[in-house]
């Protein structure tokens, strides 16, 4: 349904209507709404220029059962799901006067299908605005890269043309064929249009080339992106827009340092994450290379890698994440806090 109807129904209207430039209001919103999901959901609809949205076809849901910490989506927060995308990359002149030609513009101007959307209010908060800009840039570099979109369009139509003809009338099939013929032209222009919208409404101009890489033993995440150990990723971002990278360590590794353009820098560290926030101000020849570096832990490092309590026999799997052999006979396991040496491991060596 309409965004302005869905949010009240899901008890989220007042949270979105609050001044989101204030931290307390953002915390209240994020306690009730998965904002990572929200930003990605809106970014996808912007990228494919869904003209019949968000004043229509907005679908929200939340899990109402018991929370399971192994499944984050059971936390009861509001999330959104893609629905009814028949007006993406559309140039049908019969709908343009009513639907508009650019979903992003409609929401920012509060007109047509973007009327009464809270997206413009959400973008007043610098943290959400920066994340949205970065998500859009990453989408244009990955799933919505022009050549990728054009390939998927061609493949999808070829796979489903016979199905369409079997179930739809000839008049409706003519509409589908017309839309399929014109959609590639719109897809070829869309990335440039999104960049123009970002520059117009958010005052962006300068861009820089970013490369994100990690050594063995550490991965990097930001928004919906992931760079695994030993991998790298390249993209173009806007100068002045903050990006926060988080490093996560593999078992048996310790964090060494962040590097920007080869120069070691300090990081915000706590017990759960190792973060680095940059805004593209530290450039070298118009580029910013971010790297996370980790080193192997020295000596023994025995961890319980897997546990099973299903069936008649319980079992667990040990893993030596250190750099030296482990003599298991020196270790005990227990399920009683008062008797920590209840079971001694066999006299074996774990390499």
């Amino acid at each position: 349904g309409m965004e302005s109807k869905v949010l009240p129904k899901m008890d989220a209207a007042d949270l979105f209507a609050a001044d989101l430039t204030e931290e307390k209001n953002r915390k209240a919103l994020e306690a009730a709404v998965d904002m990572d999901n929200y930003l990605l959901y809106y970014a996808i609809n912007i990228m494919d220029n869904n003209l019949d949205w968000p004043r229509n076809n907005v679908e929200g849901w939340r899990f109402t059962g018991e929370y399971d910490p192994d499944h984050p989506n059971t936390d009861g927060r509001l999330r959104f799901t893609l629905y009814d995308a028949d007006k993406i990359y559309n140039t049908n002149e019969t709908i343009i006067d009513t639907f508009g030609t650019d979903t992003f513009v409609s929401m920012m101007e509060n007109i047509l299908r973007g009327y009464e959307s809270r997206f413009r209010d959400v973008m007043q908060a610098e943290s959400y605005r920066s994340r949205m800009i970065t998500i859009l840039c990453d989408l244009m570099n990955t799933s919505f890269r022009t050549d990728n979109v054009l390939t998927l369009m061609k493949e999808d139509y070829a796979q489903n043309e016979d199905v369409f003809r079997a179930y739809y009338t000839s008049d409706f099939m003519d509409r589908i064929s017309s839309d399929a013929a014109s959609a590639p032209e719109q897809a070829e222009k869309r990335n440039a249009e999104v960049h123009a919208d970002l520059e117009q409404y958010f005052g962006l101009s300068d861009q820089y080339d970013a490369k994100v890489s990690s050594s063995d033993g550490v991965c990097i995440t930001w928004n919906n992106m992931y760079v695994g150990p030993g991998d790298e990723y390249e993209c173009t971002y806007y100068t002045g827009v903050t990006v926060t990278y988080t490093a996560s360590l593999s078992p048996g590794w310790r964090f060494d340092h962040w590097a920007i353009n080869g120069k070691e820098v300090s990081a915000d560290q706590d017990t759960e994450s190792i973060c680095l926030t940059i805004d593209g101000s530290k450039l070298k020849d118009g580029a910013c290379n971010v790297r996370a570096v980790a080193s192997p832990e020295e000596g023994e490092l025995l961890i319980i890698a897997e546990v099973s309590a299903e069936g008649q026999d319980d079992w667990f799997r040990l893993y030596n994440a250190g750099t030296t052999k482990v003599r298991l006979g020196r270790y005990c396991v227990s399920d009683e806090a008062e008797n920590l040496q209840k079971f001694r491991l066999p006299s074996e060596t774990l390499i």
Side-chain angles (χ1 to χ4, degrees):
M2 300 165 54
E3 179 195 296
S4 59
K5 300 294 184 182
V6 171
L7 296 185
K9 185 177 180 180
M10 304 298 285
D11 298 322
D14 291 342
L15 297 170
F16 277 98
D19 181 0
L20 296 177
T21 62
E22 295 188 12
E23 184 178 9
K24 65 177 183 178
N25 292 335
R26 293 197 301 275
K27 287 184 176 180
L29 177 63
E30 291 167 15
V33 180
D34 182 344
M35 289 305 290
D36 289 330
N37 166 268
Y38 170 92
L39 293 172
L40 180 61
Y41 168 74
Y42 275 69
I44 290 174
N45 279 288
I46 288 170
M47 284 307 311
D48 61 27
N49 200 26
N50 189 349
L51 297 183
D52 195 13
W53 174 93
R55 198 165 171 78
N56 193 23
N57 297 324
V58 173
E59 291 288 315
W61 67 278
R62 61 163 51 96
F63 184 76
T64 58
E66 184 177 352
Y67 174 63
D68 181 352
D70 292 329
H71 298 86
N73 287 352
T74 64
D75 60 10
R77 293 191 296 168
L78 171 62
R79 291 176 172 86
F80 299 87
T81 186
L82 297 172
Y83 173 76
D84 197 347
D86 61 322
K87 295 296 187 293
I88 65 173
Y89 299 114
N90 201 294
T91 60
N92 190 331
E93 294 182 359
T94 63
I95 69 169
I96 286 177
D97 289 342
T98 302
F99 288 45
T101 58
D102 191 319
T103 297
F104 188 96
V105 173
S106 296
M107 290 191 294
M108 294 303 293
E109 296 291 343
N110 196 31
I111 58 174
L112 301 169
R113 280 302 196 262
Y115 181 64
E116 293 186 330
S117 172
R118 287 295 178 183
F119 176 79
R120 182 172 61 172
D121 301 320
V122 173
M123 290 299 100
Q124 296 300 311
E126 190 278 333
S127 60
Y128 296 147
R129 184 171 64 251
S130 293
R131 286 160 62 188
M132 172 59 72
I133 294 168
T134 304
I135 290 171
L136 288 170
C137 288
D138 285 323
L139 287 176
M140 286 186 275
N141 190 57
T142 54
S143 302
F144 285 86
R145 196 179 66 242
T146 301
D147 61 332
N148 187 55
V149 172
L150 294 176
T151 298
L152 291 175
M153 282 182 174
K154 183 178 180 180
E155 292 177 350
D156 183 72
Y157 186 74
Q159 291 172 359
N160 293 287
E161 183 177 7
D162 290 342
V163 176
F164 295 154
R165 293 190 183 281
Y167 286 93
Y168 295 123
T169 64
S170 58
D171 289 343
F172 194 78
M173 189 62 210
D174 289 341
R175 286 177 50 193
I176 293 176
S177 299
S178 176
D179 289 345
S182 61
E185 179 182 353
Q186 298 305 305
E188 289 179 341
K189 300 187 298 183
R190 187 55 186 159
N191 287 10
E193 291 173 345
V194 171
H195 279 298
D197 290 342
L198 293 176
E199 292 167 9
Q200 175 183 351
Y201 287 100
F202 298 149
L204 304 175
S205 56
D206 297 335
Q207 295 177 286
Y208 66 93
D209 295 325
K211 177 187 288 187
V212 183
S213 63
S214 59
S215 71
D216 291 339
V218 61
C219 66
I220 306 173
T221 57
W222 68 103
N223 297 323
N224 304 285
M225 300 301 295
Y226 170 87
V227 171
D231 291 338
E232 66 179 33
Y233 168 78
E234 296 183 13
C235 188
T236 300
Y237 293 137
Y238 282 96
T239 304
V241 176
T242 59
V243 183
T244 298
Y245 301 100
T246 300
S248 300
L249 297 168
S250 301
W253 293 77
R254 60 178 176 80
F255 188 76
D256 196 319
H257 65 273
W258 289 101
I260 299 180
N261 291 327
K263 183 178 180 180
E264 293 187 21
V265 295
S266 59
D268 302 323
Q269 297 194 33
D270 56 40
T271 57
E272 297 184 353
S273 62
I274 306 156
C275 299
L276 175 70
T277 299
I278 65 171
D279 60 7
S281 60
K282 298 180 180 180
L283 301 179
K284 182 178 181 181
D285 298 326
C288 183
N289 298 330
V290 175
R291 183 170 177 80
V293 180
S295 302
E297 290 281 9
E298 298 295 334
E300 295 183 1
L301 183 61
L302 185 64
I303 63 173
I304 299 176
E306 189 176 2
V307 176
S308 174
E310 297 181 353
Q312 294 181 336
D313 298 322
D314 299 342
W315 58 267
F316 59 89
R317 183 169 64 88
L318 298 175
Y319 173 66
N320 178 12
T323 57
T324 60
K325 298 178 181 179
V326 176
R327 290 180 294 166
L328 296 180
R330 297 187 294 111
Y331 290 87
C332 297
V333 294
S334 178
D335 55 2
E336 297 179 11
E338 298 78 15
N339 182 15
L340 296 180
Q341 296 184 358
K342 184 175 181 179
F343 302 106
R344 182 169 295 278
L345 296 178
S347 300
E348 303 287 346
T349 299
L350 189 61
I351 299 176

